[in-house]
Amino acid sequence: MDYQEYQTKQPLTEQPKKTPFKSILFGALILLIALVVFMFFQAKQEKPYEVLTPVVYPEGTTVSLYKNAPSGFPSDLILEDVVLDYSGVIQNSDGDKQITVSYISDKDMPTIAEEYSSKLEGSGWEILNSSVFEKVSIFQAMKNSANLTITIAPIKNTKTMVTFQYENN
């Protein structure tokens, strides 16, 4: 069998044609998805997330979750520029609010406890109770009609959770 016979007996396989239209369409789809994801994460929260209120709260109580510290919370108390782990408000039917905010720090518990002790005193808060233990530090403070409890506790690895409970009635 010579070369010419070989070519005529072999089936021709066609390579699929690459069109620029499919590549452009695929690229546009990827850009559209990236834009939607970007817009989703950049959207500002104007209203809190409303969540279902558990039955343990009295009737008329609302629970609202926030991305940042809720209005009315003395945000100058948060000494680190970190993403909040939790931020929410519980409001009962009488209008009383309890704001809870927490974040996770890379600092150790004794360092944070010392920083908050100094910050509270320097900001006009009267420290009513200060309890420092191996596994938790708790500060209870008052300023005018506002009550504040700060709980500082080590968590996994070398991280520390700082939680604020704030009431201004």
Side-chain angles (χ1 to χ4, degrees), residues 85-106:
D85 187 56
Y86 175 85
S87 181
V89 176
I90 298 173
Q91 182 173 354
N92 67 21
S93 59
D94 296 335
D96 296 334
K97 292 181 185 179
Q98 181 184 35
I99 300 173
T100 303
V101 173
S102 67
Y103 70 89
I104 297 173
S105 175
D106 290 328

Side-chain angles (χ1 to χ4, degrees), residues 11-132:
L12 293 177
T13 56
E14 290 188 30
Q15 297 292 326
K17 294 182 181 179
K18 295 182 179 177
T19 61
F21 176 75
K22 287 183 181 179
S23 299
I24 291 171
L25 185 61
F26 182 74
L29 180 63
I30 295 296
L31 285 175
L32 180 64
I33 291 171
L35 180 64
V36 168
V37 169
F38 176 77
M39 295 295 285
F40 177 77
F41 286 110
Q42 292 297 321
K44 298 285 182 195
Q45 291 291 350
E46 294 180 15
K47 293 170 38 174
Y49 298 106
E50 292 291 330
V51 296
L52 294 175
T53 305
V55 294
V56 296
Y57 294 114
E59 190 172 328
T61 300
T62 59
V63 177
S64 304
L65 302 179
Y66 293 80
K67 182 178 180 182
N68 299 311
S71 64
F73 180 79
S75 57
D76 63 318
L77 288 176
I78 301 174
L79 299 181
E80 298 181 64
D81 186 21
V82 292
V83 175
L84 298 179
D85 187 56
Y86 175 85
S87 181
V89 176
I90 298 173
Q91 182 173 354
N92 67 21
S93 59
D94 296 335
D96 296 334
K97 292 181 185 179
Q98 181 184 35
I99 300 173
T100 303
V101 173
S102 67
Y103 70 89
I104 297 173
S105 175
D106 290 328
K107 296 179 182 178
D108 64 3
M109 188 184 77
T111 301
I112 296 172
E114 180 59 36
E115 288 177 355
Y116 277 104
S117 178
S118 299
K119 174 68 176 180
L120 290 172
E121 290 174 350
S123 299
W125 288 88
E126 177 189 352
I127 298 177
L128 304 174
N129 187 10
S130 173
S131 303
V132 179

Side-chain angles (χ1 to χ4, degrees), residues 108-110 113 131-138 151-157 159-161:
D108 64 3
M109 188 184 77
S131 303
V132 179
F133 301 101
E134 184 179 341
K135 298 282 184 184
V136 67
S137 293
I138 301 170
T151 307
I152 305 165
I155 56 173
K156 57 186 168 192
N157 302 330
K159 301 202 182 277
T160 305
M161 178 168 274

